[in-house]
Amino acid sequence: MLGLTTRFSFLALCVLQIDEEVAKLLELKAQLGGDDGKHQFVLKTAKGTRDYNPRQMAIREKVFNTIIGCFKRHGAETIDTPVFELKETLTGKYGEDSKLIYDLKDQGGELLSLRYDLTVPFARYLAMNKITNIKRYHIAKVYRRDNPAMTRGRYREFYQCDFDIAGQYDAMIPDAECLKIVHEILSELELGDFCIKVNDRRILDGMFAVCGVPIDKFRTICSTVDKLDKVRLSQQEAHAEDSVSVGSVAGGGRYDGLVGMFDPKGRKVPCVGVSIGIERIFSIMEQKAEASAEKVRTTEVQVMVVSAQKNLLQERLKLVSDLWNGGVKAEMMYKKNPKLLSQLQHCEEAGIPLVAILGEQELKDGVVKLRVVSTREEVNAL
C-alpha cells in the first residue's frame, strides 16, 4: 500500500510539473503572436532612416546625376572604401562629435566602427596607398548616431557626395574650383537663392586667443559655432511652417594635416574638398515637387509593345526582344491576351511616349504601327 501511494505521489508530481511547463509554453506562445506562431512586432524603419518610393527615387536620381555630371566635368575620378573602418582609424578625428560614431561589436579580434564621413577614409586611403596627387569624387552612405530631424534632411544613415583635390599646388587654385563646383551644382538644381560663405578658421582661432580661450578648447568651441546656423534655423522654422529651408546644403575646406596622421613618417598631403548634402537638397526638391503637383516619371521606358488582337504573344515577345537588343527601352504587359485599352491606359499612366501596335493586318503587311501617346498620331514603320 505504501509503494502504491508513493507511485501515485510521484505521478501527481509529474503531472504538476507538466502543467507548469505547459503554462510556460502557452505564455511564450502568446508573446510570440498567438495561434499562428508569428512574432508580433511593429513594421517600421529604424530611427533616423527612411524608405524611398519610386517617385522619390526618380527625384534622387536626377540630383545624383547632376552632381556626378558636375564632378566628371571637372575631371574627377571615383573611388570606393569600406562602409566600416578600424575604430582606431576614426578615433580622435572628429572632436566632440566622436560620440556620434556607431561602434560595432568585436568581429573576430577587430574593433570596428561605421564610417562617420568620407573624408577620413579618403585620408587613410591616400596614406595607405602612398598617393600624393589625385582629384576624386566619392558618393556613398555614412552613419551618425545623431538626433534625427527628418523634415530637414538630417538622418542617421545618409549619403554624402564628396569632391576632393589632393596634392601640392599653387595656393587657392584648387580651393576656387571647389567653390565653383558648389555654385554649378546648386544653380543647375534650381533650388532657389543661395549664399556661399567663405571663411578662414585661423581668423576664428585668433579671436579665441584674444578672448583668452584655452588652445585645447578651440575645436570644441568651433564645433559649437558651426552649429549656430542649425539653432537659428530651428527657431525660424518654429514660426514658418511652410518653409522649405533646411540650412546648409554643402560644406568643405582644407585638411592639410589629416593624411599625415596616418603616415608612419608623418608626411603630409595637402587636401581641399567639398561635400554636397544630398539629403537636404532632396528635402527641398521633394517638397517643391509636392507643392507643384509635378508628374514625375519613375521609369525610362520609351516604347510599349501592345497587341490589337488575341494570340499574338510570340510576336510581341519577338518585337520587344528586338527593341532591347537595339538598345531601346521597352516593355510589354505580362498577359497572353491583354485588352488593347488596358495597354494604352498603362502607357498614359506611366508616361511612356510611344506605342508599337501589332495586329493581324500589320503582320500581314510586314509593318508595325507606331502611335505617339500624347497626340495619338499614328504611322506605319517597317
Side-chain angles (χ1 to χ4, degrees):
M1 187 69 178
L2 182 60
L4 186 60
T5 303
T6 302
R7 282 197 293 272
F8 278 131
S9 298
F10 175 73
L11 288 173
L13 180 61
C14 288
V15 170
L16 181 61
Q17 290 177 336
I18 290 173
D19 288 342
E20 290 176 352
E21 295 303 319
V22 168
K24 290 179 182 178
L25 288 172
L26 289 173
E27 182 180 355
L28 180 60
K29 181 180 179 181
Q31 293 174 356
L32 292 176
D35 294 337
D36 56 8
K38 293 182 179 178
H39 179 60
Q40 297 294 312
F41 62 95
V42 178
L43 279 173
K44 71 180 193 68
T45 57
K47 183 179 181 181
T49 65
R50 62 171 290 186
D51 294 322
Y52 296 93
N53 62 39
R55 184 176 185 275
Q56 293 165 335
M57 283 304 300
I59 298 173
R60 286 174 71 83
E61 284 185 0
K62 177 184 176 183
V63 177
F64 278 127
N65 291 338
T66 298
I67 293 172
I68 292 173
C70 180
F71 289 165
K72 288 185 175 182
R73 190 162 61 242
H74 284 259
E77 50 194 345
T78 189
I79 67 167
D80 196 13
T81 61
V83 72
F84 47 80
E85 296 274 352
L86 294 175
K87 183 177 180 179
E88 60 185 305
T89 299
L90 306 183
T91 300
K93 309 300 189 304
Y94 303 105
E96 66 170 9
D97 285 342
S98 293
K99 65 187 179 207
L100 303 180
I101 295 174
Y102 273 104
D103 293 328
L104 304 178
K105 287 186 176 181
D106 187 343
Q107 301 294 325
E110 288 189 332
L111 296 178
L112 307 173
S113 298
L114 294 178
R115 60 188 174 202
Y116 177 87
D117 64 9
L118 301 179
T119 304
V120 170
F122 176 53
R124 187 267 306 155
Y125 172 84
L126 294 178
M128 193 174 80
N129 294 282
K130 296 180 172 57
I131 297 172
T132 59
N133 188 312
I134 189 174
K135 183 194 294 185
R136 82 89 173 87
Y137 75 89
H138 189 186
I139 296 178
K141 287 183 176 181
V142 298
Y143 300 85
R144 297 184 183 179
R145 208 157 46 86
D146 203 352
N147 289 321
M150 311 289 274
T151 58
R152 297 204 303 273
R154 191 163 74 238
Y155 302 92
R156 290 183 167 183
E157 176 193 60
F158 57 95
Y159 274 96
Q160 280 192 337
C161 305
D162 283 18
F163 175 95
D164 294 84
I165 301 172
Q168 190 71 50
Y169 301 102
D170 290 342
M172 300 307 296
I173 299 177
D175 307 60
E177 184 168 11
C178 288
L179 291 174
K180 182 70 168 68
I181 283 173
V182 174
H183 187 276
E184 286 182 15
I185 290 173
L186 298 185
S187 298
E188 192 171 343
L189 290 174
E190 299 179 338
L191 299 178
D193 295 337
F194 60 87
C195 173
I196 299 177
K197 298 180 180 180
V198 180
N199 63 19
D200 191 322
R201 181 58 59 85
R202 290 170 297 184
I203 296 176
L204 196 57
D205 287 349
M207 294 172 63
F208 291 158
V210 170
C211 293
V213 176
I215 294 179
D216 60 342
K217 298 294 184 182
F218 277 19
R219 296 286 77 82
T220 301
I221 296 176
C222 279
S223 179
T224 302
V225 172
D226 287 342
K227 293 182 174 66
L228 287 177
D229 279 344
K230 295 180 182 179
V231 175
R232 192 177 299 112
L233 177 65
S234 297
Q235 293 172 342
Q236 290 173 352
E237 288 184 341
H239 304 286
E241 296 180 3
D242 296 331
S243 173
V244 295
S245 175
V246 293
S248 175
V249 296
R254 279 209 159 265
Y255 50 102
D256 294 340
L258 186 57
V259 178
M261 296 176 70
F262 296 109
D263 189 274
K265 296 183 179 179
R267 289 171 291 200
K268 295 183 178 181
V269 177
C271 296
V272 64
V274 64
S275 182
I276 307 296
I278 181 71
E279 309 300 348
R280 294 186 173 187
I281 289 175
F282 174 67
S283 291
I284 296 174
M285 297 193 68
E286 185 180 23
Q287 292 179 53
K288 287 179 67 176
E290 290 176 357
S292 65
E294 175 188 357
K295 186 173 182 179
V296 178
R297 283 199 66 189
T298 58
T299 74
E300 298 181 4
V301 175
Q302 299 164 298
V303 182
M304 177 79 176
V305 176
V306 309
S307 56
Q309 284 94 29
K310 294 182 178 180
N311 303 318
L312 294 177
L313 176 59
Q314 294 300 321
E315 290 77 7
R316 283 191 295 138
L317 286 170
K318 183 180 185 306
L319 178 55
V320 78
S321 180
D322 290 342
L323 291 171
W324 290 334
N325 293 337
V328 178
K329 298 169 183 175
E331 70 173 358
M332 53 173 273
M333 293 192 76
Y334 301 130
K335 287 186 176 183
K336 291 182 179 179
N337 299 304
K339 294 180 180 179
L340 180 59
L341 182 60
S342 298
Q343 297 171 88
L344 296 177
Q345 284 178 339
H346 172 74
C347 292
E348 292 185 359
E349 292 170 359
I352 301 172
L354 293 174
V355 180
I357 303 175
L358 286 174
E360 293 177 358
Q361 188 61 46
E362 285 76 20
L363 292 172
K364 182 179 178 181
D365 296 339
V367 298
V368 174
K369 184 178 292 183
L370 287 180
R371 172 186 286 190
V372 179
V373 176
S374 60
T375 64
R376 301 192 178 183
E377 178 185 356
E378 293 183 350
V379 295
N380 288 334
L382 295 176

